Amino acid sequence: MDMSHIPDLITPAIPVFVITVIAEVFWVKKLRQERGESIKGHTWKDTLASLSMGLGNVAVSVFWKGVAFAGYAALYHLTPLRMGHGLLAWVLLFFLEDLCYYAFHRVHHESRLFWASHVVHHSSQHYNLSTALRQTWTPMTGWVFWAPLALLGFSPEMIVTQQAVSLLYQYWIHTEAIDRLPRPIEWLFNTPSHHRAHHASNAAYIDVNYAGILIIWDRLFGTFVPETERPIYGLTKNLTTHNPVRIAFHEFAAIAKDAARPGPLSQRLGYIFRNPAWKPKEAPPPAPPVEAAPSAP
């Protein structure tokens, strides 16, 4: 499948990623001196782990993007619908692609098999621009969420271009250097404040703010929570390693271990597909033996 005619928005942005990550290190260090422990900051090990995950994702995507594009193309040729390439089609695609991202993101938090791929992005206990680059090495779990766009008649070129636009937008919101933006922006768009809450492990912030570009989907579907208390970044059970391979696959290994436990099929499937926090109900303790009534003398 020839993708050479599709504009590459990510590769030209790589120097910008590098420059802004370095600039953020110095700016956040200054803010941390002013605000103290309210800003998490950076560590070399964590940042290098994030960059390693990002490079691995780029390597995997060299192959996977072609497969995904071919899948969109196959569906596009199956449907009689055609949205065209005009301005109205791009505006409609902007909203629909963002809704697809919301669905993708929410399912990847609420079903453990999908979470095993997405957990990589949440595995850092820091929150900065390098965290945005901490991406999965198993992106194959996402394709189905954008497939409806091809069936609606949006060309594969348009789909992958808008996906890239969304990805670029989400880069800058991974920072503590920006507090809150003007209220109209906070109401309509995903912002650093909204996304900080999403990356937090505080009980109040679990499974909230799934937005890509627009926060309106979270407001509409009841998953929006504003940033109020200080976020504690990372997982409810954090990793103790910066090894990229373990970061990439630790949850898949945990699923395999849990699914191999003795129990009914429903329990094994629950460990694989249900919420990542799901546990089977414990069997009730056996009833105490009924003592025989004393016999009459």
Side-chain angles (χ1 to χ4, degrees):
M1 181 64 63
D2 182 16
M3 298 177 61
S4 60
H5 59 290
I6 301 175
D8 181 4
L9 302 181
I10 303 300
T11 302
I14 290 177
V16 178
F17 296 159
V18 174
I19 293 170
T20 51
V21 166
I22 295 172
E24 185 195 36
V25 169
F26 292 101
W27 180 247
V28 167
K29 184 177 180 180
K30 177 180 181 296
L31 292 177
R32 200 164 189 264
Q33 292 172 347
E34 297 174 357
R35 304 182 194 174
E37 295 299 322
S38 64
I39 291 184
K40 189 73 174 179
H42 304 69
T43 68
W44 281 111
K45 286 185 177 180
D46 181 79
T47 299
L48 288 175
S50 294
L51 295 178
S52 298
M53 300 309 300
L55 290 173
N57 175 266
V58 170
V60 172
S61 295
V62 169
F63 165 76
W64 176 247
K65 283 184 178 180
V67 175
F69 186 86
Y72 296 139
L75 295 178
Y76 181 69
H77 288 297
L78 281 176
T79 179
L81 302 177
R82 290 293 182 267
M83 289 294 180
H85 297 80
L87 177 61
L88 183 59
W90 279 105
V91 171
L92 184 59
L93 178 62
F94 170 81
F95 286 98
L96 291 180
E97 190 280 331
D98 204 51
L99 179 59
C100 289
Y101 181 86
Y102 174 88
F104 152 84
H105 202 179
R106 183 166 181 172
V107 170
H108 276 69
H109 274 259
E110 297 182 357
S111 175
R112 193 180 181 192
L113 180 64
F114 294 93
W115 172 243
S117 173
H118 185 63
V119 66
V120 169
H121 186 59
H122 287 263
S123 59
S124 174
Q125 296 178 54
H126 297 258
Y127 189 77
N128 49 64
L129 292 175
S130 74
T131 308
L133 307 177
R134 185 179 286 229
Q135 296 291 330
T136 181
W137 291 2
T138 55
M140 306 79 182
T141 58
W143 179 87
V144 67
F145 295 92
W146 284 270
L149 297 178
L151 290 173
L152 286 173
F154 292 102
S155 71
E157 294 86 355
M158 293 176 67
I159 295 171
V160 298
T161 299
Q162 186 58 41
Q163 286 176 323
V165 169
S166 178
L167 187 64
L168 288 173
Y169 177 90
Q170 292 177 60
Y171 171 72
W172 73 276
I173 62 177
H174 290 81
T175 187
E176 294 180 292
I178 299 173
D179 190 9
R180 280 179 173 79
L181 297 172
R183 290 181 66 179
I185 296 176
E186 294 283 347
W187 192 93
L188 183 60
F189 292 100
N190 197 10
T191 65
S193 177
H194 299 330
H195 208 57
R196 282 193 293 268
H198 175 74
H199 269 259
S201 60
N202 312 48
Y205 295 147
I206 298 295
D207 294 343
V208 302
N209 298 1
Y210 298 114
I213 297 177
L214 301 173
I215 200 68
I216 58 174
W217 310 116
D218 288 285
R219 296 184 185 278
L220 181 62
F221 297 118
T223 52
F224 173 71
V225 170
E227 180 189 27
T228 50
E229 59 188 74
R230 178 188 172 190
I232 301 172
Y233 304 113
L235 308 172
T236 54
K237 184 179 180 181
N238 284 307
L239 297 178
T240 58
T241 180
H242 293 97
N243 183 320
V245 175
R246 290 186 62 188
I247 294 172
F249 300 112
H250 73 277
E251 187 64 14
F252 287 107
I255 290 175
K257 182 179 179 180
D258 285 340
R261 293 181 180 182
L265 178 60
S266 60
Q267 174 180 302
R268 298 172 190 269
L269 294 176
Y271 276 126
I272 298 172
F273 294 106
R274 296 187 69 165
N275 190 284
W278 178 84
K279 300 294 181 186
K281 292 182 180 179
E282 294 184 4
V290 178
E291 296 184 5
S295 56

